[in-house]
Amino acid sequence: MMDNRNRDRGTIKWTSLMLPEHVEMVKKLWKEDQRVEKGIMDEQKAVEIDFLLQRALTDNLTVQVRVHNGFEYEDIRMKVTNVNRNNHAVVGVDGQTKEKVRISLDDIADLAIL
């Protein structure tokens, strides 16, 4: 027979001793464990993105850019104002904040004209 008095509650008993800052740091570490790796883009997709960027720039269209930010993918709505091939960057204006946005061409995973 096992003695029920010796049963441990695991991590539950430690969470009440942690400061909120520590809980946030632990959650951040867990999020880093769930990091999404950036895939490799094929040449056809790169040509398609380049074509859509040129069209958005020429016709002043709003685009939704899927960007890999180092941890995961995020979508940014923006109007393209410049495509700088020398610096490998796209410059535009964010659709919500109206702030200037600069995105590296290497970080772009997908692009769609809205």
Side-chain angles (χ1 to χ4, degrees):
M1 287 243 176
M2 292 194 100
D3 189 0
N4 284 340
R5 288 177 291 160
N6 201 14
R7 194 177 301 158
D8 193 4
R9 291 180 299 165
T11 56
I12 296 170
K13 66 182 177 185
W14 294 107
T15 53
S16 62
L17 298 174
M18 294 175 72
L19 294 171
E21 302 86 54
H22 295 146
V23 173
E24 281 302 312
M25 286 193 310
V26 169
K27 284 181 183 175
K28 203 173 201 177
L29 284 172
W30 284 336
K31 186 171 177 94
E32 284 184 19
D33 282 347
Q34 297 168 358
R35 181 180 294 194
V36 177
E37 293 297 320
K38 182 177 180 246
I40 299 170
M41 185 182 304
D42 64 6
E43 193 175 335
Q44 185 176 351
K45 186 70 175 172
V47 169
E48 178 188 334
I49 288 174
D50 185 52
F51 173 76
L52 291 173
L53 276 173
Q54 290 304 320
R55 183 165 168 231
L57 183 61
T58 306
D59 298 342
N60 195 27
L61 302 170
T62 302
V63 295
Q64 182 162 317
V65 185
R66 176 156 279 195
V67 180
H68 193 271
N69 62 14
F71 292 102
E72 61 192 1
Y73 290 101
E74 65 176 308
D75 293 326
I76 301 171
R77 285 182 176 219
M78 63 184 279
K79 278 206 186 270
V80 179
T81 57
N82 187 9
V83 178
N84 191 329
R85 303 221 181 279
N86 297 333
N87 296 340
H88 292 282
V90 175
V91 181
V93 179
D94 189 295
Q96 282 129 356
T97 63
K98 305 299 182 205
E99 292 179 9
K100 187 176 179 181
V101 180
R102 184 181 182 279
I103 300 172
S104 170
L105 286 172
D106 298 331
D107 292 340
I108 296 175
D110 201 0
L111 187 134
I113 293 178
L114 300 176

